[in-house]
Amino acid sequence: MSTSKRRIDRPSTPVHSKRRKDTQSRLDSFFSSPSVSERPGKVKADSFQKSIAKDIEIIDVDLLDDDVVSAPEHQSSSSPKKNSSALRPVKLIQAGRKDAFANVQHTTPDYAPLAVDPSTYTTISMDIAQDTLSSRFRSAEHLLRKVFVQHPSYDHIVGALLEVGLDGLPQRVPLTVGIPVYPALGSPIRSFEEIYERLNDLPFSAELKYDGQRAQIHVLRQSDGPIDVRVFSRHLEDMTSKYPDVTGLMQVLLEIHPETQSLILDSEIVAIDRATGSLKSFQALSSRARKDVRLEKVEISVGVFVFDLLYLDGEILLDRSFRTRRSLMRNRFPSYIPENELLARFQHVDSCDSEESQIQLQNFWETAVSRHDTEGLMIKLLDHEVCDEDSKGKLQARKKPLSAIYDADKRTFSWMKLKKDYVSGIGDSLDLIPIGAWYGNGRKVKWWSPILLGIWDPDQGHPVAICKCMSGFTDAFYKTLSEQFSLDDASKCSRSRLWDCEFGGFKPDVYFKPDMVWEIRGADITLSPISIAACHLTSSSKGLSLRFPRFIRVRDDKTIMQASDASFLANLWKSQQGKSKEQDDELIDVDVDSTSDYSEMDDIDI
DNA sequence: ATTGCCTGCCC
DNA sequence: ATTCTGC
DNA sequence: GCAGAATGGGCAGGCAAT
């Protein structure tokens, strides 16, 4: 077995190839970026965030398993000492240890390209004191991660690493138009109080949070004229062929702005009604065709609601403050509706800055809550926090100052999402009956998970399945539940359908005796292909279900006959239909009766 | 051709 | 997506 | 505070069975 072959160039690692999508090759070929190797990549782009070690595994386990693991001539044939030095990095990697990555990285420059000496690993490890080593590992890992989230190409990174090592890496592999950046994310919060706690009076912007699809749009004017556009999803999938209407929009936009060479925008693509301009549901958007869509074939029009600018004409803007990036974006690229009706619209997200006034902010939130076509607000810190000299040394143990950079791949509190359905008293809360369950997996093997829930049908006098639920339960609750509904007690739980219920398309492993009521929260009511709940009350005779269902609490005070019923559900659904602006007043007739509990409509204080 | 089932991706 | 748990 | 795990509804697309 040859030890000299660099397995980096092999098409894939057998062990890991199955689930890996061919993202890398597409990234590398786009805009004729300088591909380092011709390898048809098999690297899953987002695995870095799961564990750096697991990704480098692709590069280096390849190396190692050829050169070390499956090279018995290097080891004794029978019982190789499990911790023999040459195997150490492999072990670390297999154990998912992050420092394994750094270990490998540090040794990378020592690889002779065609002849790897496995002992290199430990030689280096042994020479350096453990703490020095681990701190070096940490900073190496940190640097690599930072480079990776702005330019997720292993080919480029490994190539640069072999040439210039860690130090020159950021300059060698910078953010590049055509290579997607891992998007910045927002942390969930549940009140304005929490905003002020976190931001402590620093100015922020509140943006409407639209219910669409995240899109990072790259635009590059090529030297010979044509304008290249790429659209990437939140997980960096290339969606360009799904959105010819967005591509077309960006091309005309650059025709209007002949001075512009290149840019990267962050945005939400939202389905819109072409006639009225009102927003359509997420479900409408997701019914669009996804592959090789032709502009004339587009059936659902969209608006591109832009909210950030990451790159402009050769300048990387990630480290600028949000205020700077935003004003650059707004001033340079005003909202625009193309004449060609087939093209997407270019719009800025609606927003209200905290500097305007408390009243305006309050109104903004209330508007967001009342219209049913938005999810809530995104709160974004506008400026980097500055630590003044006085407080520097002496004052309290300060937290790290907040920054308003574009923090690729991070869920920070400089971006917060305040969704209506997080806030108690707002959003859809249902009282549902557990009527069945499935056997759990993994850490939930000992318990029932998910649980099947039903509404109450007063006409038939039995529950009707509406959705499954697996979120919001504590381990302790699961335990209790497994005792309350045990197959040992056939009066409560059974493999066969002993109790009168309708299940629609749901086929649980076990059935529960309808016996209790739980409060379940969700974001939206959906028209469901498998639920038959309230199906006689919907236009399409499809049933209704719940988006993002999660358990809130047991309703000991309710019997199953007091659970939410079909008409309550149907009213919720109707009230959320077609409600863009003010036009929904006639429809709202949700009876706030005994079946629901709206008692705790706590206003949120601003 | 049509239907059903599974995967992969969106949220 | 949401949530809980363990480091 | 963060990563990891388990799994929600629902769509298009692809493939196999009818």
Side-chain angles (χ1 to χ4, degrees), chain A residues 160-225:
Chain A
L161 234 23
L162 291 172
E163 285 179 49
V164 301
L166 271 177
D167 291 341
L169 195 60
Q171 290 70 44
R172 192 59 102 75
V173 189
L175 189 160
T176 302
V177 181
I179 308 278
V181 180
Y182 275 86
L185 305 167
S187 301
I189 51 154
R190 351 191 72 83
S191 70
F192 265 88
E193 260 181 30
E194 194 175 343
I195 295 169
Y196 290 116
E197 257 168 49
R198 301 264 179 195
L199 296 189
N200 190 226
D201 284 333
L202 295 167
F204 61 85
S205 179
E207 297 175 339
L208 236 37
K209 189 174 193 308
Y210 300 85
D211 193 7
Q213 181 175 21
R214 186 84 176 260
Q216 188 179 109
I217 304 173
H218 293 230
V219 188
L220 178 68
R221 188 193 302 278
Q222 313 234 283
S223 44
D224 51 340

Side-chain angles (χ1 to χ4, degrees), chain A residues 83 101 376 568:
Chain A
N83 287 317
F101 177 93
F568 175 70

Side-chain angles (χ1 to χ4, degrees), chain A residues 327-347:
Chain A
S327 63
L328 219 43
M329 176 180 80
R330 286 181 177 174
N331 297 337
R332 188 75 170 263
F333 307 103
S335 290
Y336 174 70
I337 298 178
E339 273 174 43
N340 183 344
E341 290 267 293
L342 295 173
L343 298 182
R345 300 176 179 191
F346 185 83
Q347 296 179 264

Side-chain angles (χ1 to χ4, degrees), chain A residues 13-169:
Chain A
T13 308
V15 194
H16 301 286
S17 58
K18 284 198 202 86
R19 303 188 63 91
R20 281 196 164 102
K21 272 208 58 190
D22 192 356
T23 301
Q24 196 62 52
S25 58
R26 280 176 289 137
L27 302 188
D28 285 344
S29 58
F30 179 57
F31 293 167
S32 0
S33 48
S35 187
V36 174
S37 92
E38 300 304 315
R39 167 176 70 104
K42 292 291 177 188
V43 173
K44 181 172 174 175
D46 75 349
S47 39
F48 199 100
Q49 66 191 62
K50 292 181 183 156
S51 164
I52 290 165
K54 285 187 186 144
D55 285 316
I56 281 311
E57 173 177 48
I58 298 153
I59 296 159
D60 285 292
V61 165
D62 274 3
L63 249 172
L64 294 166
D65 67 19
D66 205 26
D67 297 323
V68 183
V69 177
S70 56
E73 64 266 29
H74 289 309
Q75 304 290 331
S76 70
S77 53
S78 56
S79 61
K81 314 127 220 173
K82 283 269 153 71
N83 287 317
S84 69
S85 56
L87 281 175
R88 186 169 167 270
V90 181
K91 290 295 161 198
L92 291 176
I93 287 163
Q94 286 171 344
R97 290 268 298 278
K98 294 186 176 178
D99 51 358
F101 177 93
N103 191 349
V104 169
Q105 265 341 302
H106 271 281
T107 58
T108 295
D110 297 304
Y111 291 156
L114 294 177
V116 175
D117 174 8
S119 63
T120 321
Y121 300 115
T122 42
T123 307
I124 289 199
S125 308
M126 301 288 182
D127 287 350
I128 304 172
Q130 202 54 49
D131 52 340
T132 317
L133 193 64
S134 71
S135 95
R136 282 215 207 169
F137 286 168
R138 261 198 306 278
S139 67
E141 183 193 328
H142 188 84
L143 177 68
L144 252 135
R145 185 171 202 283
K146 194 175 166 185
V147 170
F148 182 83
V149 297
Q150 295 182 27
H151 189 132
S153 163
Y154 290 107
D155 280 350
H156 299 174
I157 290 177
V158 172
L161 234 23
L162 291 172
E163 285 179 49
V164 301
L166 271 177
D167 291 341
L169 195 60

